């Protein structure tokens, strides 16, 4: 029989020795070792991902609830007769018509509130003495010159017509 000399784990696996040295040094460094920090980060990421998933599910449920509340339950169209389909269509039309009316009034209210907000900001700026400078549109110099030339040409043509009508 051949006898195999007994070796320690550190001799067989050099990385094992390095790992044991690192853990000893880590104990000396303090509580938050890099390994613990990494583990804590991963746990925080997992927790944040779970919370995000729960939030998305809650929003999806809320969205479905609001849609069901506003639009009503989905009607069964497959097993319905033509009279039933007519009544369902009439119900949907009535619902749509009332919602369009509400939307019109809400849009009108939004426009009125925007006007009130603008008036209030103008009155506040009047009180403070600070005025908002309006943004000026860029106008080409050549367009202005062209418009002036056209005006002069029109006046000249009008003057020529007067001269011709007198003569």
């Amino acid at each position: 029989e051949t006898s195999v000399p007994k070796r320690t784990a550190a001799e067989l696996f050099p990385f094992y020795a390095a790992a044991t040295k690192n853990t000893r040094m880590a104990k000396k460094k303090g509580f938050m070792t890099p390994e613990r920090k990494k583990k804590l980060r991963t746990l925080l990421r997992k927790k944040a991902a779970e919370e995000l998933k729960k939030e998305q599910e809650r929003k999806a449920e809320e969205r479905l609830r609001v849609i069901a509340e506003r639009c009503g339950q989905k009607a069964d169209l497959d097993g319905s007769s033509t009279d039933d389909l007519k009544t369902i269509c009439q119900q949907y039309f009535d619902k749509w018509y009332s919602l369009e009316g509400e939307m019109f009034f809400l849009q009108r209210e939004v426009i009125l509130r925007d006007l009130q907000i603008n008036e209030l900001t103008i009155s506040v700026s009047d009180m403070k003495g600070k005025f908002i400078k309006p943004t000026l549109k860029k106008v080409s110099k050549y367009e202005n010159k062209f418009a002036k030339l056209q005006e002069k040409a029109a006046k000249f043509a009008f003057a020529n017509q007067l001269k011709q009508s007198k003569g």
Side-chain angles (χ1 to χ4, degrees):
E1 290 183 39
T2 60
S3 66
V4 178
K6 290 194 173 185
R7 292 184 178 174
T8 62
E11 292 173 349
L12 291 173
F13 306 104
F15 65 88
Y16 179 75
T20 56
K21 285 181 186 175
N22 287 342
T23 55
R24 286 184 199 138
M25 291 176 77
K27 288 179 184 175
K28 291 178 186 175
K29 284 184 181 177
F31 179 72
M32 286 303 282
T33 62
E35 294 170 6
R36 285 186 177 174
K37 284 182 183 178
K38 188 175 182 181
K39 195 178 280 187
L40 183 63
R41 282 190 194 114
T42 57
L43 288 173
L44 286 172
R45 283 189 192 118
K46 286 180 184 177
K47 185 75 171 172
E50 289 173 6
E51 291 294 325
L52 184 65
K53 200 173 205 177
K54 286 179 185 176
E55 182 70 20
Q56 287 174 343
E57 289 174 0
R58 189 189 61 75
K59 283 184 179 180
E61 289 173 2
E62 179 72 15
R63 183 176 180 271
L64 291 175
R65 185 189 64 77
V66 168
I67 288 173
E69 180 183 307
R70 289 183 183 172
C71 301
Q73 297 298 322
K74 185 177 178 182
D76 182 30
L77 302 177
D78 294 333
S80 302
S81 66
T82 54
D83 292 334
D84 293 338
L85 289 174
K86 285 180 183 178
T87 57
I88 290 170
C89 288
Q90 186 63 41
Q91 289 172 350
Y92 279 140
F93 177 78
D94 293 340
K95 183 77 171 176
W96 170 79
Y97 191 77
S98 65
L99 290 174
E100 280 291 319
E102 285 180 33
M103 186 180 75
F104 173 77
F105 287 114
L106 289 174
Q107 286 176 343
R108 186 171 171 266
E109 192 173 317
V110 167
I111 291 170
L112 288 174
R113 291 218 175 132
D114 284 344
L115 289 173
Q116 288 175 344
I117 289 171
N118 287 336
E119 288 174 2
L120 289 172
T121 53
I122 289 170
S123 64
V124 165
S125 64
D126 285 345
M127 286 181 201
K128 289 183 178 179
K130 296 179 182 177
F131 298 99
I132 301 168
K133 294 180 182 176
T135 55
L136 300 174
K137 294 180 182 177
K138 291 184 179 179
V139 180
S140 173
K141 293 179 182 178
Y142 300 108
E143 288 180 16
N144 286 343
K145 289 180 180 178
F146 188 68
K148 287 179 182 177
L149 286 173
Q150 282 183 336
E151 279 183 31
K152 287 182 181 178
K155 287 179 184 177
F156 186 72
F158 183 70
N160 281 341
Q161 284 179 354
L162 286 176
K163 287 180 184 175
Q164 288 176 357
S165 64
K166 283 184 179 180

